[in-house]
Every structure is written in C-alpha cells, then in structure tokens.
Amino acid sequence: MPKASGLLLDHTMQTVLSVGIDALAYGMVLFVISIGLSVTMGLMRVVNLAHGAFAMIGGYIASYATQMLGFDYGVAILVAVVGTIIIAIPVERFLYRRIYGAPELTQVLMTIGITFCVIGIANYVFGPTLKTIPLPETLRGPVDLGFRSIAAHKLFAIACGVAVAAALWYLIERTSFGVKLRASVDNAAMAASLGVRTRIVYAVSFAVAVGLAAFGGIVGAELLPIEPYYALRYMVTFLVVVSVGGAGSIPGALLACLLLGAIDTTGRYLLPEYGEFFFYLAVIAIVCVFPRGLLGRSR
Amino acid sequence: MASIENISASTPARSTRPNWLVRDLVGLAVILVVAAIGYFLFPNNLALLTRILGVALLVLSIDLVTGFCGIATLGHAALFGAGAYASGIAAVHFGITDPLLMVVVGAVGGAVAGVVSGAVILRGHGLAQLVLSIAVVHLFHEAANKASAYTGGSDGLSGITPDPVFGIFAFDLWGRTAYGFAVALVVITFIVLRLITRSPFGMLCRGIKEDPIRIRAMGASVQGTLLKMYVISGAVAGTGGALNAISTQVVGLDSLSFTLSAEALVMLVLGGTGSLYGALIGTVSFMWFEDFVSAANPFHWLTIVGALLIAVVLFAPRGLYGTGLSFVERFRGNAK
C-alpha cells in the first residue's frame, strides 16, 4: 500500500511539473508577443487587433528564410524581425497614424481590416498549409535537468521571455529613451511641451513592439503554429492578456501571461472537453474585478 | 461638435409630426419593394435572401447598442445564437414546432442572454468592455459545445421541422414561405424599433451615448437604461436566430462564433451606425457582395473585405447610408 500511494504521489508530481513547464513556456511566448501590444496600447491608446498579424508575418519570413534560403536559425530570426519592422513602417505611417485618438470602434474596424488583408495575402502567397521553422540541433532534443528532462525549445522560449522582460525593464527604467517613453505614457501633451519629440517616441516604440511580436511569433512557432488564420485565432488571446494585465504595465503583462498560461494549460490537461470555457470564465472574473487590469493605473 | 449640429438639424423634423411619419412610411414602402424585387429577381436563391434577413435582424440589434448607446461589442452573436438554440431546442426536445411560438421562444432566449451578457459587458469601459464582450461570446460557444446532449455539440442541432405558418403556409422546398415569413418578421421588427428609437427612452439612450455624466446628473439611471436596451437588443437578435433556425432547420455552433459577431459589426459600420436603414443597407450589400466574391475565391474575399473596411474607415466613416445622406443634403443645398 505505501508503495502504491508513493507511486501515485510521484505521478501527481510529474503531472504538476510538466503542466508547470508547459504553462511557463506558453506564458512566456504570450508575454514576448503581447508586451509590445501592451506598451503601444498604454502609449498611443490604440486597440490594435492586428498585432497578431505581425507575429504571423515574422513566423512566415523566418520559415521562408530557413526552408527556402537555407539560413541559420539565428540569422533567420534577425532577418524576420528586421523584415517585419520594414513591412510595418509604411503601415504605421499611412494607416495607424490616422486612428490615434479615434474612437475605439474606428480603431477596431481599421485593425480588423488590416488583419483580414494580411490573412488573405499570406494565404495567397504561402498557401493554406501549416509552416514550420526547423529548429537547430541544439534546441531539438530534450535537456536533462537532473530530476527530469524537458524539451529544449520550451526552455529556450522561457529564457527568451526572461531576457525580453529584463531588457525591457532596463530600456524603460534606466535609459533616457525610457524616461521619455514613461513621460509620454503619463501625459503626452505635457511631455511634448517639455521638449520630448513624442512622434519619434511613438514610432520607435511601435517598431520595437512589432519586432518583439515577430520574435515571439518565431520563438513560439512550436506552441502557436504558423498558418494563415494565426492572426485571427490568437488575436483575442493577445488582447485579453493586455486587458487583464493593464495596458502599459510590463509587470502586469508578465503576471497576466503567467496566470492565463497556467489557467489555459491546466484546463487543457485536466478538463480538455471543456475547451477554453474556464479560460474565458477567468478572464471575465478578472476584468470585472479589475476593470483597469491587474496592475493598470487608474486614470 | 458634430452631435450638436445633428440635434439642431433634426429638431425641425421632429416638431412637424407628419413629416417623419411620411418619411417612415416611404422607408417602409422601399423595404417592401426591395423585398419584392429580390423575390422576382432571384427565385432560385431565396435561401440566401432569407439568411440575409436573419442576419439583418442581428445587425439591427447591434445597431441598438452600438449605434444608439455607444457600446462597442464584438460578442453580439451570443444573443443571436442563444435565440437560435432556444427555438431549436424547443422544437427538437419539447415539441414546440409552431413557427410563431418558436420565434417567441427565440426572442425570449435572446432577451435572457441579453440580460446575462449586458450585466457582464456593462461593467467595463473601453478596452475592458471589448474584451468582456469577446469573452462572453466564447463562453457561450464553449458552453453550447459542451452541452451536446441538448445542442448537438459540434455536429449542430438538426431535426427542426416547423409546422405551417397559421396552419396554412407550409415551409416548401424553394423557401418561398420562409422568405415571406422572414420579410414579415423584419418589417414588424423594423416598425417596433422605429417606435422605440423615437420614444423618450430611445432619446435617453442617444443622450447616454453623447454624454453619460450629464444624463446621470439629470437623474436618469445610465446602467439601468443601457441594460434595458440590451434586453431589447437581445430579443431582436434572438428573433433573428429563431428565423435562421426555422428557415435552415438546423442550428450550428457558428451561430455563436466570434467571427459572426465581428462580421455583423463590419456590416453595421459599412451601412452606417445609429440608423436603422444603415443597418439594413450594410447587411444586404455586405452579404450579397460576400456571396458574389467568395464564389470566385474565398481568400481573395478576406483581402477584399479587409481593404473595404480600411477604405470605409478612412473615406466614409459614416457608412454607406450616412455618406449617401450627406451627399443628398449637399446636393439639395446647392439646388437652393
């Protein structure tokens, strides 16, 4: 009897651990993709439903660079991030700039329109099939951590999330650009009158946000597979993360990603037949209790 | 500024009562004439026309909360689907197969869903409101998927066989009865909504859209009024869902989807928010266009809709109806 219960306990521990690792990896991928959305939403007050489309574009470029051009994984990431930013610049200049400060409905429609266009074009250019980004040798196998082994790409995703969080923290808290960014988030008009060129701050943070989305799209391609409807399928998830965390708050977004990642992954493991029921129930509960998000500031 | 101009422009029209009565009767006549033209031009495609009318009721119901009350929602298909499932379940599991009773059941189901989702969605503002509405429609979708004993899950709810209307007009293979039934439902709903939006209650809703703080200072209950409008909107959407269930005799999970919510909102904005005619024009032009283009290539369809949306936001923010109206007004101004 003691032996059996020990086995059961061991089994439970194993389940908890693998759910935990999966949740952490998923949460970190969500974080890398949606942190840019959170910052731009806090800064420019644009409900940007097309953010997932940029993550998808990054994934497509990386897939094309590795599969067709034979680039290295690292080089492909760089090419994809830069390529996505180059694609995003005219979109920002000609479309987004017209909806800064517009009512939410207008912003929603414009960005849904952009998303539909991107889906249609991606489908036309790359076809409706799933695209893979082959991982390098070092990320392919499992990694032995002593007590158990974990897929290396999940560890890589977690590491990327931690690195992005640390880099963003440094950028925003310790550099002069970060000071200007925080000033613009708090009060754009006052920052502008004090000599901050808010237009440049907007443009740079939009580029960083898009670049991070592309990076997250590539790193998370194993968990959120790249296909034309990617932009529509995860659009809601990214928006939910920002809303739950509080727009413009990095710790909030991190907390929201870990929490929602944990709820979603646990739900999938334990009650798969309920689908995303508990995920959305949790979202409603959190947003009702914290209408500004978990760590969002009241205005 | 625009709102002030609007109000001052519409004041003379309201003070002379027969003027708007005549205008509404003309509008009603136009709807009936267009419905008749559709019947004679596309006798083999009445199923599509009936579906358009069902979705038109959904778009009208979104107009009630978005156009008249200023609530941005991406989850209104929850009310449409609730109505469709309510009437479908009533027919399949409880033997209520009279089409008029099924419509009533659908309207009640939609109204109940309206209370539930309104109570949740009205707690937030801005981004939180949008996310709550999305979460509500996903929640309804997952619940319907799980309760497959009643809803048929992902296979859909089939086996709905409505009785003849008034015991005389049986639902035929060509969909003639269904089309006539749908036109009658849309016209009745349109008249009722016209009366509601012109009533003091409708004016109060418009006031809340313009300035909720001032309305509260006047002593009216903002949340209570909006919730009432949500219930009315739910009844209208539920009627649309019931119509869809009766005419297609099947209810699928797609009637509770985020995609349908987003598409219906797009139709409303294409036609023009804040006007019942705009909702109808938007639905008809969007769905006719969809049928036309998606027959050629479903992926170009998405690209074209996206481009169309961007163009509407940039160049015709008041929608087809609003832009047409201001064009006519400018023309009249020049004539004078």
Side-chain angles (χ1 to χ4, degrees):
Chain A
M1 269 313 272
K3 201 171 186 183
S5 70
L7 262 177
L8 191 68
L9 194 69
D10 197 39
H11 181 72
T12 319
M13 279 299 291
Q14 289 282 339
T15 313
V16 168
L17 208 66
S18 54
V19 171
I21 294 287
D22 280 6
L24 196 60
Y26 180 59
M28 281 306 188
V29 168
L30 276 187
F31 174 73
V32 174
I33 297 178
S34 41
I35 184 60
L37 181 63
S38 177
V39 170
T40 47
M41 250 185 207
L43 185 62
M44 307 170 203
R45 313 255 187 290
V46 174
V47 180
N48 182 6
L49 294 181
H51 194 72
F54 292 115
M56 183 175 90
I57 293 173
Y60 268 115
I61 296 178
S63 167
Y64 187 78
T66 47
Q67 302 254 22
M68 299 291 164
L69 307 177
F71 282 11
D72 222 37
Y73 190 67
V75 181
I77 290 183
L78 203 66
V79 169
V81 169
V82 173
T84 311
I85 293 176
I86 290 173
I87 291 176
I89 286 172
V91 176
E92 197 268 349
R93 176 70 189 76
F94 292 111
L95 298 180
Y96 277 88
R97 247 177 229 186
R98 306 210 181 197
I99 53 168
Y100 292 157
E104 270 128 27
L105 191 62
T106 312
Q107 299 177 342
V108 164
L109 292 164
M110 168 73 97
T111 51
I112 285 188
I114 294 171
T115 311
F116 281 176
C117 272
V118 171
I119 293 174
I121 294 168
N123 218 324
Y124 181 68
V125 177
F126 296 101
T129 51
L130 239 155
K131 290 278 178 275
T132 55
I133 306 168
L135 293 166
E137 279 302 325
T138 42
L139 293 180
R140 226 170 267 170
V143 173
D144 197 8
L145 289 184
F147 50 98
R148 60 171 288 126
S149 57
I150 293 162
H153 72 89
K154 283 182 187 161
L155 280 183
F156 179 62
I158 295 170
C160 286
V162 173
V164 165
L168 272 181
W169 174 82
Y170 183 80
L171 178 74
I172 288 177
E173 298 290 330
R174 288 283 184 270
T175 63
S176 68
F177 176 76
V179 173
K180 289 174 188 166
L181 179 69
R182 277 182 287 152
S184 309
V185 169
D186 281 346
N187 191 334
M190 186 56 83
S193 66
L194 288 175
V196 176
R197 298 170 78 178
T198 47
R199 181 165 278 204
I200 292 179
V201 173
Y202 283 13
V204 171
S205 29
F206 189 84
V208 170
V210 167
L212 281 176
F215 181 59
I218 304 162
V219 171
E222 299 283 323
L223 296 167
L224 315 176
I226 301 291
E227 38 102 22
Y229 282 91
Y230 182 105
L232 201 61
R233 184 158 299 156
Y234 304 112
M235 163 204 277
V236 171
T237 315
F238 304 142
L239 202 64
V240 162
V241 165
V242 174
S243 173
V244 167
S249 158
I250 293 179
L254 191 59
L255 188 63
C257 286
L258 296 178
L259 192 64
L260 294 175
I263 293 171
D264 195 45
T265 315
T266 316
R268 276 177 210 280
Y269 263 89
L270 300 182
L271 300 161
E273 73 274 17
Y274 280 92
E276 294 184 307
F277 187 81
F278 291 105
F279 178 78
Y280 285 107
L281 201 61
V283 168
I284 289 178
I286 296 171
V287 176
C288 277
V289 178
F290 303 96
R292 304 254 171 221
L294 289 173
L295 297 178
R297 276 173 293 180
S298 58
R299 291 186 191 281
Chain B
M1 279 307 281
S3 64
I4 297 170
E5 283 163 21
N6 261 343
I7 289 169
S8 60
S10 60
T11 313
R14 249 184 298 132
S15 60
T16 51
R17 268 174 164 266
N19 193 354
W20 66 255
L21 194 66
V22 168
R23 221 193 271 176
D24 281 357
L25 286 178
V26 169
L28 213 55
V30 169
I31 294 173
L32 284 171
V33 167
V34 170
I37 291 175
Y39 180 84
F40 288 112
L41 272 188
F42 306 101
N44 299 321
N45 223 349
L46 290 180
L48 171 71
L49 297 187
T50 311
R51 180 165 165 73
I52 290 179
L53 290 173
V55 176
L57 288 174
L58 169 63
V59 177
L60 277 175
S61 82
I62 299 181
D63 199 14
L64 289 182
V65 293
T66 302
F68 288 90
C69 301
I71 303 167
T73 164
L74 275 171
H76 225 65
L79 315 185
F80 180 81
Y85 273 113
S87 67
I89 289 171
V92 173
H93 295 284
F94 299 99
I96 300 173
T97 48
D98 181 72
L100 293 177
L101 266 183
M102 280 173 73
V103 168
V104 171
V105 171
V108 171
V112 171
V115 174
V116 173
S117 65
V120 172
I121 290 168
L122 293 175
R123 289 186 63 95
H125 294 282
L127 174 64
Q129 195 166 56
L130 264 180
V131 168
L132 282 175
S133 72
I134 295 170
V136 164
V137 73
H138 278 284
L139 207 61
F140 273 60
H141 184 274
E142 297 297 335
N145 191 14
K146 184 70 185 69
S148 53
Y150 279 100
T151 61
S154 52
D155 296 335
L157 180 66
S158 55
I160 303 167
T161 45
D163 293 340
V165 185
F166 300 128
I168 306 168
F169 305 103
F171 285 92
D172 52 322
L173 206 57
W174 298 275
R176 283 179 198 146
T177 309
Y179 183 64
F181 189 63
V183 171
L185 269 185
V186 168
V187 166
I188 293 168
T189 311
F190 187 83
I191 294 171
V192 171
L193 292 187
R194 203 80 203 137
L195 294 175
I196 290 176
T197 51
R198 285 215 198 280
S199 70
F201 170 73
M203 285 296 154
L204 190 60
C205 286
R206 277 179 189 264
I208 289 172
K209 183 191 174 190
E210 303 293 347
D211 194 343
I213 296 169
R214 199 178 284 181
I215 295 294
R216 190 170 295 137
M218 273 167 46
S221 158
V222 171
Q223 293 287 325
T225 311
L226 291 182
L227 194 60
K228 265 186 223 159
M229 198 50 147
Y230 233 94
V231 173
I232 296 171
S233 169
V236 173
T239 308
L243 170 60
N244 208 26
I246 291 168
S247 61
T248 60
Q249 311 199 343
V250 79
V251 182
L253 277 179
D254 59 331
S255 63
L256 276 173
S257 63
F258 169 71
T259 321
L260 180 62
S261 311
E263 272 188 345
L265 188 66
V266 169
M267 292 178 210
L268 173 62
V269 173
L270 178 67
T273 55
S275 117
L276 300 178
Y277 295 112
L280 293 180
I281 292 171
T283 317
V284 172
S285 38
F286 182 95
M287 290 193 69
W288 178 78
F289 192 59
E290 176 182 31
D291 186 63
F292 184 69
V293 178
S294 63
N297 185 329
F299 299 122
H300 285 313
W301 159 240
L302 262 187
T303 318
I304 290 170
V305 170
L308 194 71
L309 256 181
I310 295 172
V312 166
V313 170
L314 289 184
F315 305 116
R318 292 174 63 199
L320 290 176
Y321 179 68
T323 310
L325 209 63
S326 59
F327 192 72
V328 169
E329 271 166 15
R330 199 185 305 162
F331 185 72
R332 273 192 191 164
N334 284 346
K336 275 174 193 171

